[in-house]
């Protein structure tokens, strides 16, 4: 067993082999069979629930299985064991469950991109920068579990275990970095955000307003339009009742400078044609096709070169894992904006879904279904309750 620390004042009873945790000095080269008690005085169980991809499919319910009784992982040296309190739902969860991101990986494998919770155990070298009970967030595969081990060097200390902070980990940083790299935002530019009331769209809207742009946001309901107004969107367009191309042509005959696009298919074609001269379209997803066997809906690709050439316009793809060198700076900037009250982090807990709030790993299936109904406002977050609620 790696050299680990034991937390002072906690009972060491029972039969499970666990790393020792200490707020005081290290206990070196010791291996005990004991029952581990966390910083709230509650027992860490020997087993837990987690979600596992057991077959490849864009149908999340077919692809993913709830495992009700798997061992709680033991952190190695340099690792943290995190008790997950909130986990984020992303449209690309079904891209992962269908094997599109890495065709070499075969089931079974873990799923879930992001989580936030509290450290309940840690390896010795990890104790240099972290302590038991500390709230942390992380971006790492395998968050759809009650407990997750995370390398200490990628864990993110946070002031509180709050779902609002979780929204920044993937959705917020995607908007921040992509717009900084490819948006070329400046005062008086016009930006159009698709799925603007969704998990990442809400941040694109607000960051563009901070850059003093005129912001257009597409959405699918009047409730979402009101939300967009509340976060500064100048012109919400309900595409269920309005024609996006017609509205843009009427109000912006010269086109829009930047498009932040996550829908794909027909919407992509429409907005490429709405670009202004030297305009930029940033692809951060194409959710309309994720549930299909190919993963995308067709676009008029044969016409794309001519459209871009005629306008000296550009299309950029953006995939967050390619920009991790900029990640820390982006997240720190977003947290600062949130803490100063300049950034709203919209969270959708599923209260308006047919079966109510998303609570427990079992509800991840409902949460993914809910996302694809297009009814969420803000980031969809699932809460994982525990017997002992955090007092931090």
């Amino acid at each position: 067993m790696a050299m680990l620390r034991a937390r002072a004042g906690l009972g060491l009873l029972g039969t499970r082999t666990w790393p020792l945790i200490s707020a005081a000095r290290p206990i070196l080269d010791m291996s005990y069979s004991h029952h581990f008690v966390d910083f709230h005085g509650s027992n860490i169980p020997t087993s837990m629930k987690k979600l596992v991809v057991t077959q490849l499919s864009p149908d999340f319910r077919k692809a993913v299985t709830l495992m009700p009784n798997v061992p709680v992982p033991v952190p190695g040296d340099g690792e943290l064991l995190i008790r997950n309190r909130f986990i984020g739902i992303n449209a690309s969860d079904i891209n992962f469950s269908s094997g599109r991101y890495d065709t070499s990986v075969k089931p079974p494998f873990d799923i879930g991109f992001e989580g936030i919770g509290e450290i309940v155990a840690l390896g010795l070298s990890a104790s240099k920068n972290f302590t038991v009970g500390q709230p942390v967030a992380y971006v790492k595969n395998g968050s759809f579990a009650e407990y997750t081990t995370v390398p200490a060097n990628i864990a993110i200390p946070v002031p509180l275990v709050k779902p609002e902070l979780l929204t920044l980990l993937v959705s917020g940083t995607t908007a921040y970095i992509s717009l900084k790299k490819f948006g070329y935002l400046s005062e008086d530019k016009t930006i159009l955000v698709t799925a603007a009331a969704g998990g990442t769209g809400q941040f694109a809207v607000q960051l563009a307003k901070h850059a003093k742009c005129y912001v257009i946001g597409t959405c699918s309901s009047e409730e979402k339009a009101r939300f967009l107004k509340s976060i500064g969107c100048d012109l919400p367009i309900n595409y269920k009742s309005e024609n996006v191309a017609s509205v843009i042509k009427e109000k912006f005959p010269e086109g829009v400078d930047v498009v932040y696009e996550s829908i794909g298919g027909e919407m992509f074609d429409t907005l490429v044609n709405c670009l202004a001269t030297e305009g930029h379209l940033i692809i951060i997803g194409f959710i309309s096709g994720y549930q299909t066997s190919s993963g995308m809906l067709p676009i008029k690709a044969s016409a794309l070169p001519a459209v871009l050439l005629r306008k000296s316009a550009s299309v950029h793809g953006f995939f967050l894992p390619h920009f991790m060198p900029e990640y820390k700076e982006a997240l720190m900037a977003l947290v600062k904006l949130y803490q100063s009250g300049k950034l709203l982090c919209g969270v959708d807990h599923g209260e308006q879904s047919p079966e109510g709030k998303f609570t427990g790993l079992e509800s991840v299936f409902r949460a993914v279904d809910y996302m694809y109904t297009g009814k969420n406002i803000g980031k969809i977050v699932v809460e994982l309750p525990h017997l002992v609620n955090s007092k931090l």
Side-chain angles (χ1 to χ4, degrees), residues 17 22 29 33 48 70 94 110 122 171 246 267 343 354 373 386:
T17 300
S22 178
D29 298 323
S33 292
M48 67 173 186
V70 298
I94 68 172
D110 296 344
L122 72 170
S171 299
S246 297
M267 182 65 79
L343 188 70
T373 67
H386 292 272

Side-chain angles (χ1 to χ4, degrees), residues 239-304:
Y239 65 83
K240 293 289 184 71
S241 59
E242 300 176 86
N243 183 284
V244 175
S246 297
V247 173
I248 298 301
K249 185 176 181 179
E250 177 188 349
K251 295 183 179 294
F252 303 95
E254 300 300 318
V256 296
D257 299 303
V258 182
V259 174
Y260 184 84
E261 164 39 7
S262 61
I263 303 298
E266 185 179 342
M267 182 65 79
F268 174 87
D269 290 331
T270 295
L271 296 179
V272 164
N273 285 298
C274 289
L275 284 173
T277 300
E278 298 186 50
H280 310 287
L281 186 148
I282 307 167
I283 303 172
I284 61 100
F286 31 92
I287 188 174
S288 63
Y290 288 173
Q291 292 180 302
T292 67
S293 58
S294 66
M296 62 173 60
L297 295 181
I299 61 171
K300 297 176 182 176
S302 61
L304 189 58

Side-chain angles (χ1 to χ4, degrees), residues 28-49:
L28 306 179
D29 298 323
M30 296 284 189
S31 294
Y32 290 100
S33 292
H34 65 274
H35 192 71
F36 187 76
V37 181
D38 78 6
F39 65 103
H40 284 307
S42 62
N43 295 331
I44 292 181
T46 57
S47 64
M48 67 173 186
K49 298 176 182 178

Side-chain angles (χ1 to χ4, degrees), residues 120-358:
V120 292
L122 72 170
L124 177 61
S125 63
S127 66
K128 296 175 183 178
N129 298 308
F130 294 93
T131 60
V132 171
Q134 184 175 355
V136 291
Y138 64 92
V139 175
K140 173 185 175 289
N141 183 41
S143 68
F144 289 173
E146 292 178 322
Y147 294 85
T148 303
T149 53
V150 175
N153 63 355
I154 68 167
I156 305 160
V158 292
L160 293 168
V161 177
K162 296 184 67 176
E164 288 81 3
L165 293 175
L166 177 69
T167 69
L168 301 175
L169 298 179
V170 172
S171 299
T173 55
T174 293
Y176 186 97
I177 300 172
S178 65
L179 289 175
K180 182 178 179 180
K181 297 286 287 188
F182 303 123
Y184 310 105
L185 301 184
S186 61
E187 188 173 356
D188 298 329
K189 281 195 174 182
T190 302
I191 176 171
L192 186 149
V193 179
T194 62
T200 186
Q202 64 172 331
F203 295 114
V205 168
Q206 295 178 81
L207 293 171
K209 287 307 297 180
H210 285 306
K212 299 183 179 179
C213 297
Y214 185 95
V215 181
I216 308 159
T218 69
C219 62
S220 59
S221 70
E222 291 307 309
E223 182 183 9
K224 290 185 177 185
R226 289 191 293 271
F227 170 75
L228 290 177
K229 280 287 190 180
S230 75
I231 61 172
C233 182
D234 298 290
L235 178 62
I237 302 176
N238 180 349
Y239 65 83
K240 293 289 184 71
S241 59
E242 300 176 86
N243 183 284
V244 175
S246 297
V247 173
I248 298 301
K249 185 176 181 179
E250 177 188 349
K251 295 183 179 294
F252 303 95
E254 300 300 318
V256 296
D257 299 303
V258 182
V259 174
Y260 184 84
E261 164 39 7
S262 61
I263 303 298
E266 185 179 342
M267 182 65 79
F268 174 87
D269 290 331
T270 295
L271 296 179
V272 164
N273 285 298
C274 289
L275 284 173
T277 300
E278 298 186 50
H280 310 287
L281 186 148
I282 307 167
I283 303 172
I284 61 100
F286 31 92
I287 188 174
S288 63
Y290 288 173
Q291 292 180 302
T292 67
S293 58
S294 66
M296 62 173 60
L297 295 181
I299 61 171
K300 297 176 182 176
S302 61
L304 189 58
V307 172
L308 298 179
L309 178 62
R310 187 170 67 248
K311 298 184 177 186
S312 295
S314 62
V315 173
H316 299 278
F318 179 86
F319 189 45
L320 183 61
H322 295 155
F323 296 88
M324 296 316 288
E326 289 100 327
Y327 183 84
K328 182 178 179 181
E329 176 189 347
L331 186 60
M332 289 177 63
L334 290 166
V335 171
K336 185 177 180 180
L337 285 170
Y338 170 70
Q339 290 180 322
S340 66
K342 297 178 181 178
L343 188 70
L344 183 143
C345 299
V347 178
D348 192 326
H349 291 287
E351 289 95 337
Q352 304 305 314
S353 67
E355 297 176 55
K357 186 177 179 179
F358 303 130

Side-chain angles (χ1 to χ4, degrees), residues 68-129:
N69 190 29
V70 298
V72 173
V74 176
D77 189 33
E79 290 186 327
L80 312 173
L81 179 66
I82 297 172
R83 182 173 66 185
N84 291 316
R85 294 281 308 287
F86 298 99
I87 52 178
I89 304 298
N90 293 280
S92 51
D93 287 330
I94 68 172
N95 284 334
F96 200 70
S97 71
S98 61
R100 291 174 184 143
Y101 286 158
D102 187 349
T103 56
S104 68
V105 177
K106 306 301 179 185
F109 53 84
D110 296 344
I111 191 168
F113 296 134
E114 57 189 336
I116 187 170
E118 298 144 335
I119 299 171
V120 292
L122 72 170
L124 177 61
S125 63
S127 66
K128 296 175 183 178
N129 298 308

